Amino acid sequence: MANQNIKPLKMGIIGVGVGATQIMPNMEEMPEIDLMAAADTNPLVREAFQNRFPEAHVFGSAEELCNDPEIEAVWVATPNALHCPHTVMVANSGKHVVSEKPMALNMHEAEAMVEAALANNVKLLCGHTLGFSPPVMEMRKIILSGELGPLKALNNWAFTDWMLQAREPDELDESLGGGVLYRQGPHQLDSLRLLGGGMVKTIRGTTGRWWPERNGVGYYSAFMEFEDGVTANVTNNGYGYSMTSDLTPWSDELGKGLILGYTHDERVEIREQLKSGSRDEFAAKHDLRIGSDHERRFWRETTSEIPPWKPA
Amino acid sequence: MANQNIKPLKMGIIGVGVGATQIMPNMEEMPEIDLMAAADTNPLVREAFQNRFPEAHVFGSAEELCNDPEIEAVWVATPNALHCPHTVMVANSGKHVVSEKPMALNMHEAEAMVEAALANNVKLLCGHTLGFSPPVMEMRKIILSGELGPLKALNNWAFTDWMLQAREPDELDESLGGGVLYRQGPHQLDSLRLLGGGMVKTIRGTTGRWWPERNGVGYYSAFMEFEDGVTANVTNNGYGYSMTSDLTPWSDELGKGLILGYTHDERVEIREQLKSGSRDEFAAKHDLRIGSDHERRFWRETTSEIPPWKPA
């Protein structure tokens, strides 16, 4: 559907982590985008990026990328605590900006980001969240059509093995935007707000830190009431040895819900390694980064047997 | 396991409705119980009961059954609004009493029932709830064993076609204990309290009346916090055209979760009949009562292929 006459947007990425590996394949497929630059503090990552994109500009800092006059828009995929400062920096450099979810750690940060975008007259987008996924878009379409009458209530459960997956310290530390509430909450809560129609009037809930070997929030559960009386019940359990995505669509168009796809035995083994402190997190994380076998096989070698998700 | 030397308890039932048809087969199987009497205001039901139990005492009112000096204990299975007055009447007649769930419509009624039992020195039991089912008992056993560490949170969803099933007016009228909160709530909430460890400190939730053709509560959802900090998230949706029991065990030992087992097409048709007012509720209800084909096939002709539920 792309207009072949448009001039591609020259984009850069700040922070080439595991999240970025999930976005790059889509960028590459879009003729509207020319992924031409990246910045990362990790030299191994920079090297892998350069190997894959030999003509790209590669930088060791966000500042250098912002100073590159050719880049028109930037995807900020750095750790959560850096979304605000990096977004403000990009906006101040006069480039359009996409901030990974969560947009910010608090309202103060979010407002600073909006103000920077307005002051510099650039576009600011928070992306991506589950709200953009085909199943959620389809639900929204059905709700807006009125075919089933007015929306009455929402229920959403996510059981994942998030706490078993390879984690860097900032991914667990709440003060840096770590834990499932900051890292998975945007997917669920933004989808529920998209489907429920906007503003939440009341919320009552809890967060749980249940494993000493993973000092962060791995569970939340809440009851929400929207302004129009619609209610939502939501649970996210990252301590699951199971994945609700085994039952229902989640994640991308290719149905690749199970990012890691541990077997039950692997899950038990990882937990034991976490308990005993013998798990090599750095290696486990590195195995998911750009340049790894996992990254190539899972994100780039599209299995053509899996058709794009369609409503039943 | 029954002691063959015990003298069977001579029991009567007040209210031989659809609920009672689910209990009688178990009573008949227990050598500890001699089901010897019933009372019901419906002459068709009395006739069917007498046909099945030719030697039983059959009465047209609760009073007459309470005056029968041979009966030692009574199962009160009348409509919810009568649980309190009938239980008090039974206790005052000096007989032990089991009240169907919900025990009462409010605390005032519950206290009157307890006081009547104490004053007459008889046993009072509220039965039955899902808490007695093998899957819930097994969960409780696992929790109490400490094998998985302390309990942290509970989540329970029930999607049923409760609002499509045959209903008498009192089953929908909230002032008479109708709707899913009074009629299905005891199953879920009692199980959650049994598993969660007792008293609930805070609760926030909602009820929903979503179909004009069924003027009663067909949905509830809540977030609860127990005294010890454990939380529970609970949803019951009686407007479902689906049954969560298709996925997980619910109901009796034989796995007979789907009491009616409507097909999708039947569900759609029933809803249309309810909307147009053409549904014959009386006939639909009668088809489930004692003496009906359904009652015989479903509750009494045990399908030996289905083994009793066991933990996986």
Side-chain angles (χ1 to χ4, degrees), chain A:
Chain A
M1 305 286 260
N3 181 339
Q4 298 302 320
N5 297 322
I6 61 167
K7 193 168 68 83
L9 190 68
K10 292 180 180 173
M11 281 202 76
I13 295 179
I14 302 180
V16 187
V18 175
T21 67
Q22 302 173 22
I23 298 155
M24 288 187 294
N26 295 88
M27 288 186 171
E28 290 176 85
E29 278 174 27
M30 294 178 68
E32 298 91 337
I33 288 177
D34 174 13
L35 177 57
M36 63 161 287
D40 202 285
T41 55
N42 183 333
L44 295 172
V45 163
R46 290 202 298 273
E47 190 186 326
F49 190 90
Q50 193 76 78
N51 287 342
R52 173 113 77 85
F53 303 96
E55 292 171 28
H57 309 185
V58 179
F59 305 102
S61 72
E63 288 82 352
E64 289 169 87
L65 188 140
C66 288
N67 289 334
D68 184 330
E70 280 193 66
I71 299 167
E72 296 169 302
V74 176
W75 192 289
V76 174
T78 44
N80 290 350
L82 299 173
H83 290 179
C84 174
H86 283 160
T87 294
V88 170
M89 185 192 295
V90 171
N92 286 342
S93 76
K95 305 179 197 308
H96 304 297
V97 57
V98 182
S99 168
E100 260 293 338
K101 56 84 196 163
M103 177 175 170
L105 303 191
N106 53 53
M107 285 301 291
H108 182 74
E109 282 191 356
E111 281 163 5
M113 292 159 81
V114 171
E115 280 162 23
L118 289 172
N120 293 285
N121 196 27
V122 296
K123 307 275 189 201
L124 167 60
L125 179 70
C126 179
H128 81 126
T129 77
L130 190 66
F132 289 108
S133 78
V136 176
M137 295 300 279
E138 187 66 22
M139 286 188 246
R140 182 170 156 84
K141 210 171 93 184
I142 293 168
I143 291 167
L144 291 179
S145 77
E147 184 189 340
L148 302 179
L151 180 69
K152 296 297 193 181
L154 296 155
N155 287 276
N156 189 320
W157 278 12
F159 281 66
T160 70
D161 51 18
W162 197 89
M163 291 302 256
L164 289 171
Q165 295 169 25
R167 296 285 159 225
E168 295 188 273
D170 72 279
E171 293 178 77
L172 293 164
D173 184 339
E174 206 168 351
S175 71
L176 300 173
V180 293
L181 185 56
Y182 276 113
R183 294 197 153 251
Q184 295 298 300
H187 290 305
Q188 276 189 303
L189 301 174
D190 188 65
S191 301
L192 288 169
R193 285 190 56 210
L194 185 76
L195 298 175
M199 300 303 281
V200 172
K201 191 171 67 181
T202 70
I203 184 161
R204 186 178 192 90
T206 193
T207 57
R209 303 164 174 268
W210 298 348
W211 286 355
E213 64 271 21
R214 284 294 204 207
N215 187 19
V217 168
Y219 178 89
Y220 62 79
S221 186
F223 179 83
M224 300 188 287
E225 191 186 5
F226 287 86
E227 279 183 338
D228 63 358
V230 167
T231 59
N233 216 324
V234 62
T235 289
N236 193 308
N237 184 352
Y239 299 104
Y241 284 70
S242 59
M243 303 280 281
T244 33
S245 55
D246 295 349
L247 302 173
T248 47
W250 168 277
S251 194
D252 75 2
E253 288 196 349
L254 296 169
K256 289 178 178 173
L258 289 164
I259 295 180
L260 295 176
Y262 295 130
T263 64
H264 176 74
D265 289 344
E266 285 167 339
R267 287 169 180 157
V268 171
E269 192 191 342
I270 292 169
R271 177 80 199 278
E272 289 307 316
Q273 291 173 348
L274 289 172
K275 278 185 187 172
S276 68
S278 66
R279 177 113 183 121
D280 187 343
E281 295 270 29
F282 181 83
K285 194 81 189 182
H286 195 70
D287 283 346
L288 304 175
R289 289 190 198 283
I290 185 169
S292 70
D293 267 7
H294 177 274
E295 184 258 348
R296 177 179 53 74
R297 279 185 290 111
F298 198 85
W299 294 110
R300 292 193 280 128
E301 290 182 6
T302 305
T303 49
S304 53
E305 307 96 76
I306 307 173
W309 184 88
K310 290 233 166 27

Side-chain angles (χ1 to χ4, degrees), chain B residues 95-114:
Chain B
K95 304 178 198 308
H96 303 297
V97 56
V98 182
S99 168
E100 259 293 339
K101 57 84 197 163
M103 177 174 169
L105 302 191
N106 52 54
M107 284 302 290
H108 181 73
E109 283 191 355
E111 280 162 7
M113 293 159 81
V114 171

